[in-house]
Amino acid sequence: MREEFRNEMRSLEETLTMMARSAAKAMDRASKSLRDANLGLAESVIDADSNIDAFERQIEEMTISLLARQAPVASDLRTVVTALRIGTILERMGDLARHVAYIARGRFPQTAVDGKAYDLLVKMAEEAAHTGKKVEQMIENQDIDLAKQIEIEDDRLDELHRETFDLVLDENNDLTRQTVVDVVLLGRFLERYGDQGVNAARNMRFLITGLHVDADPGPSTEEEMLG
Amino acid sequence: MREEFRNEMRSLEETLTMMARSAAKAMDRASKSLRDANLGLAESVIDADSNIDAFERQIEEMTISLLARQAPVASDLRTVVTALRIGTILERMGDLARHVAYIARGRFPQTAVDGKAYDLLVKMAEEAAHTGKKVEQMIENQDIDLAKQIEIEDDRLDELHRETFDLVLDENNDLTRQTVVDVVLLGRFLERYGDQGVNAARNMRFLITGLHVDADPGPSTEEEMLG
């Protein structure tokens, strides 16, 4: 019984790691599809999203089965509950990468945004992909230092997001309506991807320490810029 | 022990209902603050959001305590796991209502958007508030018919959301940059509020029936309009 339990816990952690790898890969590809107007990459992100969704379902089934048959306690219970939460977070990260890929695909053969907006959004997308990679490593190694790094480094994404508002709210530049809309939405999707990374990091810290991290992140960038 | 368990389950359900009431009230007020440029209402939504966050923490503590001490199985286990998930969903609905309130506050004493955009966004906000109210009733009564209604009626919000894109992508109207940005973000926040309502409805159906609802909602409105 005990050995079976350990095997199931290990299997849950491995599934979560595979899911994190998929969510990281999705943003890595989405970011490159945006940078290079690469249709194939964008489509691969869109097609692969159902695999990420399937991982979420699988993790849910594993956790419910573990809870029902093994009644874990203490740190094992935290691991199970956190796996359930992180599964939801990673599913969302996959969706956000897919949203980015859809916009890249929709503008093909052009790049989704151009000029100043291009540099800014590509930088944001690369930053988001970087966060995805760190989330994957953090989950694989249950690494609390990486969790802290992810939380701190999210500021960079927020700062870039602020710059997108400076750009689109300036009536003096000649961005098309389509570009304004794309910049606002891509900015939102990429910032949310980073936020979900932070969310995963806080859950990982709870898993490891049993202590809650204060979850009040203050106003969002939009609230700050528009409120 | 058995009686204690029943009391704790009831208490969990009551807390979830109170939380749903707060998330519904948040959008009701946010929608009116947007319609009437009502500063006091907008601020009350922003101030009350920390209560919604506290509910989420409380539900998490209750579920972990229940799982650790009572090891529920079958439909009780489904209730506990679903409560945890719906807690996360309602917290997000509160955040989205707060985002809307921030924009209403930021444009005071003007209304956030005007002309054609005003009618459309006010209609969307009222639709979202309506969804919030239904989610509250569904959770209070564990009502599967309401769950199905919420899923079906979300189409109305999607249709209005599509109309916002027709509006902002039309280069021939004279919307300011600020209005374009506000319409895109308000549209996104209100649609997401509705999506989260659908999400809560699917979880409620799982709670009641033990069966998963196919969770693939297809492309989002943005993906459809921009991708």
Side-chain angles (χ1 to χ4, degrees), chain B residues 145-168:
Chain B
D145 291 328
L146 267 179
K148 287 178 197 159
Q149 254 183 55
I150 290 165
E151 290 174 58
I152 292 166
E153 289 179 6
D154 189 50
D155 286 351
R156 297 209 295 252
L157 215 38
D158 290 343
E159 179 51 37
L160 292 167
H161 195 200
R162 263 177 229 116
E163 291 179 33
T164 66
F165 285 107
D166 293 337
L167 187 70
V168 293

Side-chain angles (χ1 to χ4, degrees), chain A residues 29 33 38-49 101-102 104-105:
Chain A
R29 292 184 161 190
S33 75
N38 185 325
L39 184 64
L41 269 184
E43 290 189 332
S44 78
V45 175
I46 294 165
D47 293 342
D49 189 49
Y102 258 97
R105 186 177 80 168

Side-chain angles (χ1 to χ4, degrees), chain A:
Chain A
M1 186 69 172
R2 218 49 216 162
E3 200 191 336
E4 188 191 333
F5 175 61
R6 282 292 134 216
N7 285 341
E8 284 184 38
M9 288 295 287
R10 201 170 316 116
S11 170
L12 177 63
E13 287 165 4
E14 281 166 9
T15 308
L16 207 59
T17 299
M18 285 190 290
M19 186 178 184
R21 190 164 303 142
S22 300
K25 193 170 158 191
M27 185 52 87
D28 184 55
R29 292 184 161 190
S31 121
K32 286 173 181 150
S33 75
L34 195 68
R35 186 190 65 195
D36 304 335
N38 185 325
L39 184 64
L41 269 184
E43 290 189 332
S44 78
V45 175
I46 294 165
D47 293 342
D49 189 49
S50 59
N51 299 335
I52 300 184
D53 297 346
F55 272 130
E56 188 193 13
R57 177 63 44 86
Q58 198 185 333
I59 285 166
E60 185 176 300
E61 279 162 10
M62 289 168 106
T63 55
I64 290 186
S65 163
L66 263 162
L67 289 168
R69 294 179 307 106
Q70 310 274 11
V73 293
S75 77
D76 289 327
L77 177 56
R78 280 208 307 276
T79 300
V80 173
V81 169
T82 308
L84 197 63
R85 279 189 181 291
I86 293 186
T88 308
I89 292 169
L90 293 171
E91 191 276 327
R92 196 69 207 122
M93 290 172 84
D95 283 351
L96 291 162
R98 194 192 65 194
H99 292 344
V100 171
Y102 258 97
I103 294 185
R105 186 177 80 168
R107 298 300 157 272
F108 181 82
Q110 257 76 55
T111 56
V113 285
D114 51 18
K116 251 174 141 177
Y118 173 83
D119 293 341
L120 204 48
L121 266 306
V122 167
K123 225 189 282 179
M124 267 192 95
E126 285 171 351
E127 204 56 67
H130 178 75
T131 301
K133 193 73 201 156
K134 290 217 162 168
V135 167
E136 176 194 334
Q137 291 165 349
M138 171 191 78
I139 288 174
E140 181 160 17
N141 305 307
Q142 303 209 349
D143 184 332
I144 198 164
D145 291 327
L146 266 179
K148 287 177 195 161
Q149 255 184 54
I150 290 165
E151 290 174 56
I152 292 166
E153 290 180 5
D154 188 50
D155 285 351
R156 297 209 295 251
L157 214 39
D158 290 343
E159 180 50 38
L160 293 167
H161 193 199
R162 262 178 228 112
E163 290 178 34
T164 65
F165 285 107
D166 293 337
L167 187 71
V168 293
L169 291 174
D170 177 4
E171 304 268 359
N172 293 323
N173 59 39
D174 55 356
L175 303 175
T176 61
R177 279 287 171 78
Q178 182 74 64
T179 299
V180 171
V181 172
D182 286 346
V183 169
V184 172
L185 286 174
L186 286 169
R188 171 91 189 148
F189 300 149
L190 294 166
E191 159 150 336
R192 288 297 300 158
Y193 187 93
D195 287 347
Q196 295 288 7
V198 168
N199 210 343
R202 291 197 173 122
N203 275 283
M204 185 52 67
R205 285 173 70 180
F206 170 67
L207 187 162
I208 297 169
T209 64
L211 298 172
H212 271 295
V213 184
D214 180 12
D216 179 18
S220 70
T221 309
E222 278 97 359
E223 290 177 344
E224 208 183 286
M225 298 300 287
L226 305 176

